Amino acid sequence: MNLWRKPLDLQDIKVARGEIHIIKDLCKGCGFCVEYCPKDVLEISEEFNTKGYHPPYIKNPDECVECHLCEMLCPEFAIYVTLKEDNNVVKSASEEGGQ
Amino acid sequence: METLKTKKMKEVHPMEDVLRMNRIPHIWCPGCGIGLAVTAFAAALEKAKIDLNKVAIVSGIGCTGRVAGYIKLDSFHTTHGRAIAFATGIKVANPDLKVVVFSGDGDLISIGGNHFIHAARRNIDMLVVCVNNFIYAMTGGQVAPTTPLAAYATTCPFGSVEPPINIPYLADSSGAVYVARWTTLHIRRLTNSFIEALDKKGFSVVEVISPCPQYYSRINRLGDGLDMMKFYHDNTEIRHGEDTKNLDIGFQGKIIMGKFIDRERPSYTERFD
Ligand SMILES: Cc1ncc(C[n+]2csc(CCOP(=O)(O)OP(=O)(O)O)c2C)c(N)n1
Ligand code: SF4
Ligand code: SF4
Ligand code: SF4
Ligand SMILES: [Mg+2]
């Protein structure tokens, strides 16, 4: 038996989707954005930036819910997020990130 | 040739209205928390829709003392320990300005401790942001009046034997009207405290517990910035309204955070009206 009611408007629920911008050469590889992204979107790359640090890369671009936590927790102002234009991915629930 | 500066100018961070992006990358080490205190402050200015022409920011000397130079406001990088004295002059001459002091624990509480006490006593209308990394970072990790008992510093190779100052208690007992403490991990709550404190008339203090991986963490073998952030996650507790007497911080002990004081007292410039 299914105890949960399926919302009638499930197909209309829109979850915000974010587009992540990484200014690689500002990054100092601290890993805060990777650790605290609630959706596990980011990962440290193997690549070196011009200062010799490993910036993050976007591992799961479709999972980003535009919570801006990575942007808030970057001490280098090296990552920010904008709302994706085609913002119509349908998902039943989203998790709010944040401390 | 494409230099680091021309390259990075192509992508523009949304905080460029508040930051001097041409001076960034900043000097702070990887994993240092000062940049997070700046982000929270910039976010607070933006969220509170404060007219940037009506805010002045003053720093003393130290790693945190660099903050004023990175924020695109009327900025003053003053002498060691004297940020509050400069800020007092700015406020008294221009009572319409919002005045913010952004500096380190050593600058504000050690050499500048007397200014701190008397500005609180007189209730001079300013926001003081004290980035507490438990050490004199810029000069090489010497013991500070905030260094927890038994913690190592370059001048305490056997561990500090000095009981540290409890900053919220000092602010409270000297007369501050708003006192809060957060860590750099609790950045949204920190931002909200900045918004509240910016709106408050009187001497407001927000203490920001912040990682210094280069000096404090290294000599105490506490890992990197991320390890400190994880430590904050596991060892903090929010207790709004807690008696400030109970806010001592022991070495790697629990950190009580929250808003402790929010009261009304006529501010210094209001007494002239
Ligand atoms: C009159 C004077 N005394 C000493 C110094 C050396 N000095 C520069 S920064 C500093 C301590 C800074 O500590 P803090 O305010 O905690 O800043 P942090 O670097 O930790 O952010 C000291 C002692 C100085 N510049 N001027
Ligand atoms: S905006 Fe949120 S979900 Fe998207 S990458 Fe940043 S932290 Fe992750
Ligand atoms: S938080 Fe910023 S500096 Fe740290 S790894 Fe992520 S992008 Fe780089
Ligand atoms: S020495 Fe410490 S406080 Fe100074 S920039 Fe480096 S990590 Fe930050
Ligand atoms: Mg310090």
Side-chain angles (χ1 to χ4, degrees), chain B residues 104-106 131 133-137:
Chain B
D105 50 320
V131 175
N133 48 20
F134 305 131
I135 208 138
Y136 289 176

Side-chain angles (χ1 to χ4, degrees), chain A residues 18 20 33 36-42 63-71 79 81:
Chain A
I20 304 144
C33 57
Y36 293 107
C37 168
K39 292 296 192 180
D40 199 22
V41 171
L42 303 161
E63 290 297 308
C64 174
V65 289
E66 207 225 354
C67 72
H68 294 268
L69 196 60
C70 53
E71 178 179 320
I79 184 166
V81 180

Side-chain angles (χ1 to χ4, degrees), chain B residues 60-245:
Chain B
I61 302 294
C63 295
T64 315
R66 292 295 182 115
V67 166
Y70 294 122
I71 298 192
K72 213 197 279 179
L73 296 171
D74 283 338
S75 305
F76 299 86
H77 190 195
T78 67
T79 47
H80 193 30
R82 310 295 170 228
I84 288 177
F86 274 77
T88 301
I90 294 171
K91 184 67 198 180
V92 173
N94 306 275
D96 296 339
L97 285 184
K98 273 196 192 300
V99 181
V100 180
V101 169
F102 213 120
S103 214
D105 50 320
D107 187 77
L108 288 167
I109 307 299
S110 188
I111 186 171
N114 224 18
H115 296 294
F116 184 91
I117 291 167
H118 293 289
R121 174 181 64 82
R122 296 152 114 188
N123 199 24
I124 295 170
D125 182 19
M126 62 174 72
L127 162 61
V128 176
V129 180
C130 179
V131 175
N132 184 0
N133 48 20
F134 305 131
I135 208 138
Y136 289 176
M138 175 159 270
T139 41
Q142 294 85 355
V143 71
T146 44
T147 307
L149 261 181
Y152 293 112
T154 47
T155 47
C156 292
F158 307 108
S160 171
V161 293
E162 304 176 16
I165 279 184
N166 165 346
I167 296 176
Y169 185 33
L170 179 68
D172 176 13
S173 47
S174 308
V177 292
Y178 184 99
V179 182
R181 172 197 277 163
W182 299 105
T183 79
T184 49
L185 176 68
H186 301 85
I187 193 145
R188 296 205 206 266
R189 294 178 192 274
L190 175 62
T191 305
N192 289 337
S193 257
F194 284 156
I195 293 172
E196 281 182 12
L198 280 165
D199 195 40
K200 193 86 192 165
K201 266 239 165 298
F203 193 80
S204 307
V205 178
V206 178
E207 181 186 14
V208 188
I209 308 292
S210 172
C212 168
Q214 182 65 23
Y215 288 109
Y216 185 72
S217 299
R218 191 159 61 162
I219 197 164
N220 286 294
R221 302 189 186 281
L222 303 176
D224 59 14
L226 186 53
D227 292 317
M228 289 302 282
M229 295 282 269
K230 289 178 180 166
F231 174 81
Y232 299 157
H233 181 267
D234 297 338
N235 296 280
T236 46
E237 189 182 318
I238 299 175
R239 279 196 223 155
H240 294 300
E242 178 67 46
D243 188 333
T244 56
K245 280 194 189 93

